[in-house]
Structures are given as C-alpha cells and as structure tokens.
Amino acid sequence: MQRISHHTLRSEFRQLLASDRCYHTASVFDPMSARIAADLEFEVGILGGSIASLQVLAAPDFALITLSEFVEQAARIGRVSRLPIIADADHGYGNALNVMRTVVELERAGIAALTIEDTLLPAKFGRKSTDLIGMFEAVGKIRAALEARIDPELAIIARTNAGVIGLEEVIARVQAYEAAGADGICLVGIEDFEQLEQVAEKLSVPLMLVTYGNPKLRDNTRLAALGVRIVVNGHAAYFAAIKATYDCLREQRQIDASDLNASQLSVKYSTAGEYMVWAEEYMQVKE
C-alpha cells in the first residue's frame, strides 16, 4: 500500500482549503476505517473527540479522555493514513500551555489539521458543555497553538459554537481568531444559509462547518461560494459499527433483536447513566 509522508498529507489538506470546492469528511476512528475512507476516495477524514472517547474508553463525551489516550489513537491512524486527518482536539486539554502540548503531540502523531474550540471544558456540574471561555483567553490558545507547531503546513482551525451565543458575538470571536492567525474557522450550530452568509462575509479564511446533516445546509455549490471548504455531517460510520457488532454477537447468542438504535446502544454501553449519577454524587457542591 502506498505510503505518504505526513508533510505531504498536510500540504494536500492546505490545497483543499485553498480550492473553490466543498469537501465532506469521512469519520474515521481506527486504522482500518482510515484505510477504507482512502480507498473510497474521500479527500479528508476526521477523528472526533466524542468518537475517540467511545472507541478508546467506551465512555460518553464528558471530556473524560486524556490527551495521551487521544494522541495514541491518532498515531495509530496516522501510521497508515493515506488521506489528511483532522483531529478534533476539543479545548486543547486545558489552558494555552496545554494547547501547546496538544499541538506538539498531535503533529508528531501525523495529524494534518486540528481544531481548538473555545468551549469551557469539562463542563460545570448541572450545565451542558456549551459554555464558552472568554474571547481573549481563546485568542491566547490560538496564538499558543501556532507557536507550538513545527511543520508550517499543519493547519490550526479555531472552532466556536454559533448556536449558543448571539450573532454579533459569533462574528466578533471569529474575526479575533482570524486576526490571531488561525488557518480556518470551524462553526458549530449554524442554522441556515442566512446566518452563514452574515458570518462568512466578515471573514477571509476558509470555513469548516459541523452540520450534523442539517437539511438547510445541503447545497454544496452555495456552501463553496461562501468559503466553506470542509463539512462534517456527523459520525454515522462509528455508530453503524456499534450496531453491526451488537447484531452479530446477538445473533450468535440467538437473542431476539433489540429495539434500540445505534445511538441508543452507544448510550447504553458507554454507561452514560452511571456517569450522570456519579456527577450528581461527587460534583455537586454541597454546603
């Protein structure tokens, strides 16, 4: 099988960002899925943080996976990948200094690009993981990430959640991240093209959208015209693998089929309910 250097894959990703097209990611979670994606001629793959948590820990997406565990999985994929891989590096596993360590380790693992988000993680007790850190702290993280990389072809993409803050703040944040030197902006929670247009017209760097299959954002030509180069529709491949594994083993044991779908099975076997009980017991402040 053809081997490609990490630097070459990063250069290929840069070419995608510089193109006039919109590309959809393959969700990859291990070396085999990365090889399948390349063979099916996907242009780019993504290792999601939530998927790594399930794959490595069988744990829900509660910011439980550590940097070393995530990097180990990224390195396994990086050893065989023949397409550029984006790493969902969450909040960089801590403050700006932790972000620098994250960039160093993921670059060594062979990642072509990584996203650093401005989410406050781990989430405080009783709140969803949608609170954001201050804009200036987030800018510091982007600047630190850029300082830490060695290969200039490694793309640093700043990510924010447009679904939890007002449009004016979204624009202010992404403009600040662009000014800090981010190679691209990743947006989660964009509702429709009208909202996307208002953000895109304020930026000159390429955009990456996490849409989860939003039907209001399915026009590739229109996305490309607005500077969107990368679209993440979700991680259906991994959930399909969970369902296939469950059905195969269930049939071997001659057990009747369950009514649970793939997402429900992932919740069941990642014991999300137990983690919620533990959070209630150990994280709630009691005075």
Side-chain angles (χ1 to χ4, degrees), residues 18 53 86 91 116 132 138 152 158 199:
S53 185
I86 304 168
H91 63 318
I116 298 291
L132 305 186
V199 178

Side-chain angles (χ1 to χ4, degrees), residues 115-190:
T115 60
I116 298 291
E117 62 188 82
D118 53 10
T119 310
L120 178 63
L121 293 174
K124 294 183 178 180
F125 175 77
R127 300 187 64 90
K128 295 182 179 179
S129 56
T130 52
D131 291 343
L132 305 186
I133 61 175
M135 182 174 69
F136 294 109
E137 181 182 355
V139 165
K141 286 189 171 187
I142 299 305
R143 293 178 56 234
L146 295 168
E147 175 66 24
R149 72 179 173 190
I150 297 172
D151 186 349
E153 292 294 277
L154 176 69
I156 305 296
I157 301 173
R159 168 173 159 166
T160 195
N161 192 331
V164 299
I165 53 178
L167 185 61
E168 289 186 5
E169 184 177 352
V170 172
I171 293 172
R173 281 178 176 263
V174 297
Q175 286 182 318
Y177 303 160
E178 177 181 351
D183 299 303
I185 298 294
C186 177
L187 295 168
V188 182
I190 291 290

Side-chain angles (χ1 to χ4, degrees), residues 52-128:
S53 185
L54 288 170
Q55 176 77 354
V56 176
L57 302 177
D61 188 21
F62 292 166
L64 297 169
I65 193 168
T66 64
L67 171 61
S68 59
E69 291 166 328
F70 185 75
V71 168
E72 285 173 2
Q73 193 68 1
R76 294 183 184 103
I77 295 170
R79 275 195 288 268
V80 304
S81 182
R82 292 183 293 118
L83 78 167
I85 302 295
I86 304 168
D88 170 11
D90 285 344
H91 63 318
Y93 296 91
N95 60 28
L97 299 183
N98 298 115
V99 167
M100 298 182 79
R101 173 77 190 280
T102 297
V103 170
V104 168
E105 297 299 335
L106 286 174
E107 182 173 342
R108 291 176 61 189
I111 292 301
L114 58 92
T115 60
I116 298 291
E117 62 188 82
D118 53 10
T119 310
L120 178 63
L121 293 174
K124 294 183 178 180
F125 175 77
R127 300 187 64 90
K128 295 182 179 179

Side-chain angles (χ1 to χ4, degrees), residues 170-246:
V170 172
I171 293 172
R173 281 178 176 263
V174 297
Q175 286 182 318
Y177 303 160
E178 177 181 351
D183 299 303
I185 298 294
C186 177
L187 295 168
V188 182
I190 291 290
E191 296 179 356
D192 51 36
F193 276 106
E194 181 180 356
Q195 186 182 29
L196 176 61
E197 288 170 355
Q198 293 181 70
V199 178
E201 69 180 8
K202 303 295 185 180
L203 296 171
S204 58
V205 293
L207 292 176
M208 172 177 167
L209 289 188
V210 180
T211 68
Y212 299 111
N214 182 351
K216 296 180 181 179
L217 294 167
R218 286 184 178 170
D219 186 335
N220 278 358
T221 301
R222 195 172 177 187
L223 288 172
L226 290 171
V228 177
R229 297 293 172 259
I230 307 294
V231 172
V232 181
N233 293 312
H235 302 286
Y238 184 70
F239 292 105
I242 291 175
K243 186 67 164 63
T245 301
Y246 174 81

